[in-house]
Amino acid sequence: MKRSRKCRAPTRAQLNHLGSLITFVDHGTERCLGYLLVVAGHGVFEPNFGRIDVTPEEAELHNRALSAAEIQGLDETCEIGQGAVFYPVEAPDGTLIVSTWIGDRVAEATRTGNRIYFRRNGKTFVGRGKPGTAVFFKRTG
């Protein structure tokens, strides 16, 4: 069995738009980094690449821009069958809230078994999972 090779992180010189949504060119296509995790004393980490050479301030700006772009995508371009990963959490009052990774509210949700539903701007989304985990929500209507 072959070992999978780890993706190489783009160098700082290969990163574009530092101070906003950080992108890089991958085989001729511009791609966006995922959410960035800042670990005090250890650096900034990206889900696909591991440690990446950006400042905590750049990471925070990127995460805000990425969260806004995900919500904008739901509102403006998400077609039936498409979707995104969001995070359902139970609020202290018992309501179920779907949010982005940084906690920006997407919508209130309902749950039937392991299915979680929410509506936003007249569009219906469904995902399978539990509150407190990452859930892929697909537009169904």
Side-chain angles (χ1 to χ4, degrees):
M1 177 192 301
K2 282 188 177 181
R3 291 180 121 180
S4 62
R5 292 189 308 191
K6 185 177 178 184
C7 296
R8 277 212 149 138
T11 65
R12 187 164 179 87
Q14 294 169 319
L15 297 174
N16 301 313
H17 312 292
L18 293 168
S20 66
L21 190 64
I22 302 172
T23 63
F24 64 100
V25 177
D26 179 29
H27 295 88
T29 302
E30 189 167 26
R31 301 198 187 281
C32 176
L33 294 177
Y35 282 105
L36 301 176
L37 176 66
V38 178
V39 180
H42 296 281
V44 178
F45 296 84
E46 198 273 349
N48 294 306
F49 300 119
R51 188 174 176 160
I52 194 148
D53 189 16
V54 299
T55 68
E57 295 77 20
E58 290 167 336
E60 183 179 342
L61 292 170
H62 167 81
N63 286 346
R64 283 190 207 157
L66 181 54
S67 181
E70 285 183 325
I71 293 171
Q72 181 181 5
L74 280 186
D75 293 343
E76 297 178 8
T77 61
C78 190
E79 300 292 333
I80 292 176
Q82 296 177 327
V85 173
F86 293 108
Y87 303 84
V89 294
E90 288 186 27
D93 66 0
T95 59
L96 190 60
I97 305 296
V98 174
S99 65
T100 65
W101 189 72
I102 64 169
D104 289 340
R105 183 185 173 119
V106 175
E108 263 191 42
T110 58
R111 181 174 49 191
T112 303
N114 67 348
R115 289 182 189 224
I116 301 170
Y117 304 86
F118 73 86
R119 291 184 54 78
R120 183 176 172 90
N121 290 342
K123 300 173 183 175
T124 303
F125 297 86
V126 64
R128 287 184 181 202
K130 300 187 269 189
T133 64
V135 174
F136 179 80
F137 287 91
K138 182 165 74 170
R139 181 174 171 203
T140 58

